Amino acid sequence: MGENNYAKELDVAVRVVHMACSLCQRVQEGLVSSTSNDHVMSKDDDSLVTVADWSVQATVSWMLSESLSNQKVSIVAEEDVQTLSKSDSVGLLTAVVNTVNECLAEAPKYGLQSPKKALGTSQILEAISQCNSTGGRKGRHWVLDPVDGTLGFVRGDQYAVALALIEEGKIVIGVLGCPNYPRKKEWLSHHHSSQTKPKMSDSSETWEKGCVMYAQRGSGEAWMQPLIHGNKKHTWSNSAQRVQVSSIDDPALATFCEPVERANTNHSFSAGVAHSMGFKKQPLRVHSMVKYAAIARGDAEIFMKFAQSGYKEKIWDHAAGVIIVEEAGGVVTDAGGHPLDFSRGLYLEGLDRGIVACSGTILHEKLIGAVYASWDSSNL
């Protein structure tokens, strides 16, 4: 498979994810200004997240179809258009239509083309409903998670926009937009440790944050671009920096990431594994696929997620992150050490207990060993 087979797709995907990040930030500003950091999600926030979700999905769907008009664009995405078409969501739909048009109007800033005139409701519903692919091992499928890390989004914390391209069951491109990812890794864990974190309203200069990471299968490289702030037109060529995994291979020096939410992961089993690995550092609890970004960028060495029984991992929660970590030099497998299989439809079927991502093979081998040792002594 030639290196440049996907040059056009990657270029479009990166630009579209930049647009989606900008859209999310705009919606999130409406959210954060009216809330305090420690509050629990209310119905109102819920609808803002929904607006962000649908709007990103419509924007990405429309832009991919327009920009890659010579291809049949098939998209697997989380949101299903049925809920938006119901009569009680008229207000939501209006908000989505406005948000999408505002975002599409800015396409030229990202080197893409805006529609000739604003899209109507039916065109936007159409764009969303085109995201109805179920993936699989044949053909090309774009895989989108419009807002990964809902709780992080609501709290003004970490969340991601994730877009990947799967061809014949293999991930070939991954793009991960992390609008609140700090340039300094110390800020990554601010919600759980330091309380001196700058407020979201501070100017972006004082607390530089936000990036889009991307990689192409087989290139052996992963890249990061800063988000565009304000009205600057993006200078694409010189803004990308290469990212690489950390070279730490001693567990005592390694940082491990785990999910914040308890619902879909087994924290106590992770703690057991961490103990037998001999980790000395506090775990970094990070929302969403930003955990993959942390490993690709060298800010953490290990991420593990052991689902509660019955929970099935979805491909859009992992695809973009996995390829970026791998091309940055890391290793991602299930807990038995097998590669993840993205060719089986919407879910990662046949997953052995959970998912582990590491910055390198030495830590990965130790981790798989620790999983087996801990597994025998627990009864998950």
Side-chain angles (χ1 to χ4, degrees):
M1 194 173 76
E3 216 358 48
N4 290 319
N5 277 3
Y6 301 100
K8 166 89 168 147
E9 287 81 356
L10 182 61
D11 183 61
V12 169
V14 169
R15 292 167 192 263
V16 168
V17 169
H18 270 284
M19 286 177 70
C21 287
S22 158
L23 183 160
C24 286
Q25 285 178 309
R26 201 174 285 153
V27 174
Q28 200 187 36
E29 277 160 19
L31 228 166
V32 174
S33 56
S34 60
T35 62
S36 66
N37 266 347
D38 50 10
H39 85 288
V40 179
M41 249 173 93
S42 71
K43 198 72 197 107
D44 213 30
D45 299 340
D46 214 5
S47 60
L48 275 172
V49 176
T50 310
V51 168
D53 257 331
W54 292 114
S55 300
V56 168
Q57 193 158 312
T59 299
V60 171
S61 171
W62 194 86
M63 291 301 321
L64 287 179
S65 294
E66 288 296 306
S67 309
L68 305 170
S69 51
N70 59 334
Q71 304 177 14
K72 181 188 183 310
V73 173
S74 160
I75 304 176
V76 180
E78 187 172 22
E79 303 299 329
D80 164 36
V81 77
Q82 296 308 316
T83 41
L84 197 56
S85 315
K86 294 203 182 88
S87 56
D88 60 350
S89 26
V90 173
L92 280 183
L93 189 49
T94 309
V96 168
V97 172
N98 293 339
T99 306
V100 171
N101 279 314
E102 231 171 274
C103 181
L104 291 178
E106 293 198 332
K109 187 167 117 180
Y110 301 89
L112 295 167
Q113 292 228 279
S114 292
K116 304 269 184 289
K117 58 182 210 304
L119 302 186
T121 306
S122 59
Q123 288 166 292
I124 285 174
L125 283 172
E126 171 67 16
I128 294 171
S129 62
Q130 272 175 343
C131 304
N132 58 0
S133 162
T134 51
R137 60 182 75 248
K138 289 198 171 57
R140 278 188 173 192
H141 307 280
W142 289 93
V143 178
L144 171 68
D145 194 339
V147 179
D148 182 49
T150 311
L151 207 55
F153 181 82
V154 168
R155 291 177 175 167
D157 197 346
Q158 299 302 323
Y159 66 98
V161 175
L163 182 62
L165 179 60
I166 292 181
E167 180 149 47
E168 309 302 324
K170 295 260 184 296
I171 314 168
V172 292
I173 287 174
V175 185
L176 198 54
C178 308
N180 286 335
Y181 200 120
R183 301 287 159 79
K184 292 198 177 76
K185 80 174 209 188
E186 298 81 66
W187 290 120
L188 202 53
S189 53
H190 60 71
H191 273 277
H192 302 285
S193 51
S194 102
Q195 288 309 311
T196 51
K197 167 219 168 196
K199 283 281 169 275
M200 293 288 291
S201 56
D202 285 3
S203 80
S204 56
E205 272 52 65
T206 51
W207 187 41
E208 287 224 319
K209 60 183 169 41
C211 65
V212 172
M213 286 190 191
Y214 55 94
Q216 181 176 316
R217 165 74 59 223
S219 63
E221 296 174 344
W223 297 89
M224 175 172 81
Q225 290 178 338
L227 289 189
I228 310 173
H229 293 291
N231 288 321
K232 299 198 286 270
K233 195 170 162 64
H234 213 351
T235 43
W236 294 92
S237 48
N238 54 13
S239 67
Q241 283 171 283
R242 198 169 160 191
V243 291
Q244 279 173 305
V245 292
S246 147
S247 55
I248 291 174
D249 54 19
D250 175 356
L253 302 174
T255 297
F256 90 93
C257 281
E258 59 179 6
V260 180
E261 292 87 353
R262 292 186 171 271
N264 53 9
T265 192
N266 188 315
H267 277 305
S268 57
F269 183 67
S270 297
V273 174
H275 182 72
S276 69
M277 281 285 284
F279 289 142
K280 301 278 185 281
K281 293 182 151 186
Q282 277 290 88
L284 196 57
R285 287 202 170 161
V286 180
H287 290 280
S288 85
M289 255 188 278
V290 170
K291 292 179 274 290
Y292 285 113
I295 291 177
R297 216 176 82 160
D299 292 344
E301 283 72 34
I302 286 178
F303 155 47
M304 44 185 166
K305 182 179 181 195
F306 302 98
Q308 308 286 23
S309 65
Y311 180 81
K312 281 164 65 157
E313 294 289 353
K314 300 168 212 59
I315 59 173
W316 52 75
D317 283 332
H318 301 282
V322 168
I323 186 173
I324 291 169
V325 167
E326 288 176 343
E327 297 301 322
V331 187
V332 187
T333 64
D334 69 12
H338 318 104
L340 306 182
D341 184 353
F342 286 89
S343 72
R344 314 260 297 264
L346 301 181
Y347 299 99
L348 290 170
E349 305 284 358
L351 202 59
D352 185 348
R353 293 166 292 191
I355 293 174
V356 296
C358 299
S359 53
T361 49
I362 294 175
L363 277 178
H364 183 258
E365 279 165 22
K366 287 182 177 162
L367 187 63
I368 297 291
V371 168
Y372 274 102
S374 309
W375 196 264
D376 292 340
S377 60
S378 96
N379 50 3
L380 192 62

